[in-house]
Amino acid sequence: MFQFYVFYVLEVLVYGLEVLLEVPPKKVLKNYFISVLTKFSSFSSYTGFFRQVEGVSMGGKLSSQLANIFCHIMEEKIIKRHIENGNILFYKRFVHDCFCALKKGTRDLILSEMNSFDPYLKFTVEEMVNYQLNYLDTTCYKDKKGTFQLKMFIKPSASEVKTDFRNSVQPKKYKISSLVGDLYRCHYTTTTNSDLENALNKMTQIYLRNGFPRRLIYDKINDLKKRNFCPSDFRRQRDEEIKNNPERNFNLILTYSSRRFDTVIQKSSLS
């Protein structure tokens, strides 16, 4: 027998990373990371600007990479052993959120070892309830045939505010890109047609409340369905061009100030 679990990390402190690297010298690397984490890791809030003395700052450019490396060390020392002895039947991790199927009766043992790895790396656990378990933006559930499926999950506390289609100064193509990205999310977080349709209907209502034209939403959904949610021919050709001729392509970042900006760019040689 086995059960699915999600382990969540509460706090990460990158410590002892130098044991994995030979170049640059350990002392140099250690001093570098200590300085980054204790002197140059900072964050701002409504009450002021603060320097963080433990852990990594949320949203920092190095935070996800350091957390990923540190969790990988834990996996090599703990998770790998439990996979080899059959206690862990399935294991996947996104940054510091783990999704796994465990042999019955091994949950407390594995959780204890994971939390004993380092005092600043602490996991909590969620179990399946009524054969359902939320993980990131998906819900894993068992259908009537006993097959595990995925459907889209949106946290109750998540904001449904998107870019206002009518009043935002943001370029129209970025607004459409946000819509298309969420439609792709509906596809990638579902494994059945019925759950896909439910997710698309949910996303349609969200974007309608943000001023997006109903016809635009339906046209994008129909277009993606016709392509089976695969990239368009134009996108494939463009990606191939960039891959084969990188010297001919570059990005120029300019400040967007009004809709007239798009008109000027389209008439110039930059388009």
Side-chain angles (χ1 to χ4, degrees):
M1 295 293 294
F2 66 91
Q3 176 66 286
F4 281 99
Y5 297 90
V6 174
F7 292 95
Y8 295 100
V9 68
L10 298 180
E11 185 175 8
V12 175
L13 175 66
V14 179
Y15 172 80
L17 182 61
E18 72 279 359
V19 298
L20 292 183
L21 303 176
E22 297 292 336
V23 180
K26 293 182 179 180
K27 184 176 181 180
V28 174
L29 188 64
K30 179 178 180 180
N31 291 336
Y32 168 75
F33 276 112
I34 290 177
S35 296
V36 168
L37 295 172
T38 61
K39 297 180 182 179
F40 306 109
S41 182
S42 57
F43 63 93
S44 61
S45 70
Y46 289 113
T47 57
F49 193 79
F50 302 91
R51 188 182 72 184
Q52 190 159 328
V53 296
E54 286 185 352
V56 290
S57 57
M58 183 171 292
K61 293 182 178 180
L62 285 175
S63 299
S64 60
Q65 289 85 347
L66 294 174
N68 189 40
I69 293 172
F70 193 53
C71 286
H72 177 73
I73 300 173
M74 181 275 296
E75 290 172 335
E76 287 294 306
K77 293 187 176 181
I78 297 174
I79 302 301
K80 186 177 180 180
R81 171 166 48 83
H82 283 288
I83 292 176
E84 292 174 349
N85 64 25
N87 287 337
I88 297 180
L89 308 177
F90 176 88
Y91 179 89
K92 293 293 180 181
R93 174 176 61 82
F94 179 77
V95 187
H96 47 53
D97 292 337
C98 309
F99 184 85
C100 54
L102 309 179
K103 184 179 178 180
K104 191 173 182 179
T106 62
R107 187 202 68 175
D108 292 342
L109 171 64
I110 296 173
L111 180 62
S112 175
E113 291 187 16
M114 292 170 69
N115 284 332
S116 299
F117 175 71
D118 187 274
Y120 293 98
L121 183 64
K122 297 300 178 184
F123 290 89
T124 58
V125 62
E126 282 189 19
E127 298 183 24
M128 265 192 158
V129 178
N130 297 325
Y131 297 106
Q132 290 195 111
L133 180 64
N134 299 324
Y135 179 67
L136 302 177
D137 52 2
T138 64
T139 295
C140 177
Y141 71 97
K142 183 185 290 188
D143 64 17
K144 295 180 180 179
K145 296 181 180 180
T147 302
F148 283 103
Q149 306 286 0
L150 296 177
K151 61 183 177 181
M152 188 178 70
F153 170 71
I154 300 177
K155 291 182 179 180
S157 59
S159 172
E160 294 185 352
V161 176
K162 307 292 182 180
T163 301
D164 189 292
F165 190 86
R166 299 187 182 93
N167 301 315
S168 173
V169 182
Q170 193 177 51
K172 182 179 179 181
K173 61 183 178 182
Y174 291 165
K175 300 173 186 176
I176 296 176
S177 178
S178 173
L179 168 64
V180 173
D182 276 332
L183 295 179
Y184 270 112
R185 183 187 297 267
C186 294
H187 169 69
Y188 289 123
T189 57
T190 56
T191 52
T192 69
N193 290 332
S194 61
D195 286 329
L196 172 60
E197 291 301 322
N198 290 335
L200 291 174
N201 290 336
K202 172 69 174 178
M203 202 59 65
T204 296
Q205 295 305 314
I206 291 175
Y207 274 87
L208 286 174
R209 288 194 288 270
N210 285 271
F212 279 67
R214 187 181 298 271
R215 175 50 54 190
L216 171 64
I217 299 173
Y218 287 166
D219 286 346
K220 291 301 177 183
I221 291 176
N222 291 332
D223 179 54
L224 291 175
K225 285 183 176 180
K226 288 179 182 178
R227 295 190 272 113
N228 196 27
F229 288 88
C230 293
S232 64
D233 292 338
F234 173 78
R235 178 62 182 271
R236 286 196 295 266
Q237 293 172 3
R238 183 174 179 273
D239 290 345
E240 191 68 19
E241 164 66 19
I242 295 175
K243 179 181 178 181
N244 296 333
N245 303 286
E247 72 283 352
R248 298 181 185 176
N249 298 273
F250 63 92
N251 293 321
L252 178 63
I253 302 176
L254 301 174
T255 302
Y256 183 88
S257 56
S258 68
R259 294 180 180 177
R260 184 173 179 274
F261 188 90
D262 276 338
T263 304
V264 174
I265 289 295
Q266 290 171 4
K267 292 181 178 180
S268 72
S269 59
L270 296 175
S271 58

